[in-house]
Amino acid sequence: MAQGSNFVDYVKICCRSGQGGAGSAHLHRDKFTSKGGPDGGDGGRGGHVMLKGNSQLWTLLHLKYRKHVIAENGEPGGSALKSGKTGKDEILEVPLGTIARDAETGKILFEITKDGETRILTPGGRGGQGNWHFKTPTLQTPRFSQPGEPGLEQWMILELKVLADVGLVGFPNAGKSTLLSVLSAAKPEIADYPFTTLVPNLGIVSYRDNRSFVMADIPGIIEGASTGKGLGLRFLRHIERNSVLLFLVPADTGRTIHQEYDILLKELEDYNPELMHKPRILAISKSDMLDAELMQEMEADVPAIPYVFISSVAQKGMLELKDMLWKAINEN
């Protein structure tokens, strides 16, 4: 199976909620009562289309080919004040970090952030009232009732933004996937060509005293990603949900450390200025090829943020990096 075929972070679906059942206009009759009063029951509510958070899901793949979601109609009311049955709700389970958006207006309706959290996406029609609601001293036998309200039919967009404690930010081939594979049990594809990573990868990083945090490897950003170049624009939204941003700059970069960091930072700022408020840490990767003198020269050009020299292959600086990340996560 090709990489990315099982990761879907955007779906557009047509949701149709159920129509409410009509109220009953029945008048009570039995062998002892020839002219009884109104006893028509209320109609049942139409089914909702709902979203429910599921922490075991990490993609919207199960909704990719389900274009129409239709909830059940409510049943009409009956005699003897019997209410109609409520239409069955259609509940769509989604991963945490899923945003529901109106496809026509683009307005964000809500976001699912907790396991088991349930929100109404498209509400069902209200059931009509039976005729017993309308009896008065001057109208003792009303022969009318309310019809049920129609359901709604709307196109909705579900958009997933990966939830993680740490988001890896860097150019293609900066060593993000290698770092994730070393720090966690995740097995992202690793190769010596750009854009090896085509989808976000999540890994759980073990820390001291049986503690852990979640790290996300975001596909490589290139200069101009915020304007639609490369893969960055599609996946920049996943960085919005990360608590701490870990910038990864390789020691063998063709630019200076500061220049590469500034380019990455500008792309994030152009995409969403609010990302500038997140804690940032710089990791200079592939530092196993550096001697003490080269490191000292590079330190003179490092941005004024916490930084560490690391090597995923040589397992250098891993514990120091974890300590810095854990501190930043808890301070945030």
Side-chain angles (χ1 to χ4, degrees):
M1 184 178 289
Q3 184 191 36
S5 61
N6 63 343
F7 182 84
V8 177
D9 60 356
Y10 180 98
V11 294
K12 185 177 180 181
I13 55 176
C14 180
C15 301
R16 190 170 77 196
S17 59
Q19 179 175 333
S24 172
H26 189 268
L27 299 175
H28 179 63
R29 297 288 187 271
D30 59 32
K31 63 180 180 179
F32 303 110
T33 308
S34 58
K35 292 184 178 181
D39 68 347
D42 300 338
R45 170 185 60 77
H48 300 316
V49 177
M50 310 177 77
L51 297 186
K52 182 178 180 181
N54 186 338
S55 59
Q56 301 302 311
L57 297 175
W58 75 289
T59 173
L60 297 171
L61 177 66
H62 59 296
L63 299 177
K64 182 177 181 180
Y65 300 107
R66 189 175 179 184
K67 289 300 180 187
H68 297 274
V69 180
I70 302 173
E72 202 175 61
N73 293 332
E75 295 186 358
S79 59
L81 301 180
K82 293 176 184 175
S83 296
K85 181 181 176 183
T86 298
K88 182 181 177 182
D89 297 329
E90 276 292 328
I91 302 177
L92 306 176
E93 294 196 343
V94 295
L96 307 187
T98 299
I99 289 175
R101 190 191 301 270
D102 188 301
E104 291 188 10
T105 63
K107 180 183 177 183
I108 294 177
L109 305 177
F110 55 82
E111 179 182 1
I112 300 292
T113 58
K114 298 178 182 177
D115 187 41
E117 180 183 357
T118 305
R119 301 287 293 270
I120 297 174
L121 185 61
T122 307
R126 188 178 61 179
Q129 292 183 324
N131 62 344
W132 73 276
H133 287 281
F134 306 107
K135 62 181 179 181
T136 66
T138 57
L139 183 62
Q140 297 185 5
T141 55
R143 299 175 184 272
F144 57 86
S145 61
Q146 280 184 334
E149 290 184 353
L152 298 176
E153 185 169 336
Q154 300 171 306
W155 280 94
M156 295 290 182
I157 291 172
L158 303 182
E159 185 178 320
L160 173 63
K161 296 186 179 183
V162 169
L163 292 172
D165 298 307
V166 179
L168 287 168
V169 182
F171 286 101
N173 276 24
K176 301 188 300 299
S177 297
T178 305
L179 176 62
L180 183 68
S181 68
V182 169
L183 291 180
S184 73
K187 301 298 179 186
E189 185 176 346
I190 299 171
D192 59 353
Y193 53 86
F195 297 115
T196 312
T197 301
L198 297 177
V199 300
N201 291 299
L202 292 179
I204 298 176
V205 180
S206 298
Y207 189 58
R208 306 172 193 265
D209 302 324
N210 294 320
R211 292 174 292 182
S212 63
F213 55 89
V214 179
M215 181 178 284
D217 171 21
I218 310 299
I221 298 171
I222 65 171
E223 192 170 1
S226 59
T227 61
K229 293 182 181 179
L231 299 174
L233 181 65
R234 180 180 171 190
F235 296 110
L236 275 172
R237 64 171 172 266
H238 294 296
I239 299 174
E240 291 181 292
R241 291 297 182 266
N242 302 151
S243 301
V244 177
L245 301 181
L246 175 59
F247 288 77
L248 209 63
V249 177
D252 60 352
T253 176
R255 309 179 183 93
T256 66
I257 301 294
H258 211 307
Q259 284 174 340
E260 190 137 336
Y261 169 77
D262 286 343
I263 293 171
L264 291 169
L265 194 64
K266 185 177 185 303
E267 292 305 321
L268 298 189
E269 185 176 16
D270 289 346
Y271 176 73
N272 184 353
E274 292 184 8
L275 292 174
M276 297 299 99
H277 303 299
K278 291 183 179 291
R280 302 190 291 270
I281 292 174
L282 174 63
I284 302 169
S285 63
K286 306 179 183 179
S287 63
D288 53 312
M289 63 180 68
L290 303 176
D291 56 23
E293 187 177 347
L294 278 173
M295 283 189 189
Q296 195 171 2
E297 287 181 14
M298 284 187 170
E299 284 180 339
D301 187 49
V302 170
I305 62 172
Y307 69 91
V308 59
F309 286 90
I310 65 168
S311 171
S312 302
V313 175
Q315 300 281 305
K316 176 184 176 182
M318 295 293 108
L319 191 55
E320 187 180 352
L321 176 61
K322 287 184 184 181
D323 289 339
M324 294 173 70
L325 291 172
W326 183 260
K327 181 181 177 182
I329 291 168
N330 286 279
E331 284 180 351
N332 187 42

